Amino acid sequence: MSNIDAHFHQLFQPKTPANKLDEKTALLTNRRTPTDEQIRDWLQSPEIKQWLNKQMMGITNTLKIEMVNTIIKNILDKPDKDCRVQYSGAVIGIDVLRWQLWASYKLPYASGLKAPDCPYTLKKHLEQRD
């Protein structure tokens, strides 16, 4: 007889199983398919503009809005695909699975990157408008 527990492999399992595939499947199942007008209204909302203005991306606010307008054009053509626009070291993108805007940029006077998600999602936008 061996002294090794038959359930030894379970000792090294995470306490809370984080199965990304299940999460992605659940998101795909419950995914909203917004209209072009809903997407445009959300991405051009004052809340999105305000969030972008607060991001210290090293580019002008006008350029940030132009990047969002490019995202709108691309996302309306292919609403099933994530989209991102890059200018210099700044990137703005959209996750169509969660319908969430994000930004990525190098912090001024630092060696790290910052990549925040915008808290104002399409879901929140639609809930506010109802």
Side-chain angles (χ1 to χ4, degrees):
M1 281 248 179
S2 173
N3 290 335
I4 299 174
D5 186 1
H7 303 289
F8 181 75
H9 66 280
Q10 291 178 345
L11 293 174
F12 298 101
Q13 297 296 319
K15 291 182 181 179
T16 55
N19 191 340
K20 296 244 181 218
L21 187 58
D22 287 346
E23 178 188 353
K24 186 175 179 180
T25 304
L27 285 169
L28 281 170
T29 305
N30 298 323
R31 181 173 175 225
R32 292 180 177 208
T33 307
T35 65
D36 291 355
E37 186 60 35
Q38 288 173 325
I39 294 170
R40 192 176 291 112
D41 188 45
W42 168 54
L43 290 174
Q44 292 177 340
S45 70
E47 291 85 353
I48 295 289
K49 289 177 185 174
Q50 183 180 23
W51 180 79
L52 283 170
N53 289 342
K54 289 181 181 178
Q55 305 305 313
M56 304 300 290
M57 300 173 74
I59 58 175
T60 65
N61 290 335
T62 305
L63 188 53
K64 293 174 191 174
I65 300 303
E66 283 301 316
M67 291 170 75
V68 170
N69 288 338
T70 302
I71 288 173
I72 291 170
K73 180 182 153 293
N74 292 339
I75 213 74
L76 294 182
D77 288 342
K78 296 179 184 174
D80 298 0
K81 285 187 83 173
D82 289 350
C83 178
R84 69 181 70 188
V85 176
Q86 180 174 356
Y87 181 81
S88 186
V91 183
I92 299 174
I94 188 165
D95 174 0
V96 296
L97 199 55
R98 292 173 181 80
W99 286 105
Q100 187 165 30
L101 193 68
W102 56 268
S104 175
Y105 51 94
K106 186 176 183 206
L107 294 169
Y109 307 109
S111 60
L113 289 176
K114 188 167 182 176
D117 289 338
C118 180
Y120 191 68
T121 62
L122 177 65
K123 182 179 178 182
K124 285 184 183 179
H125 178 73
L126 295 176
E127 287 170 355
Q128 271 189 352
R129 300 294 185 233
D130 290 340

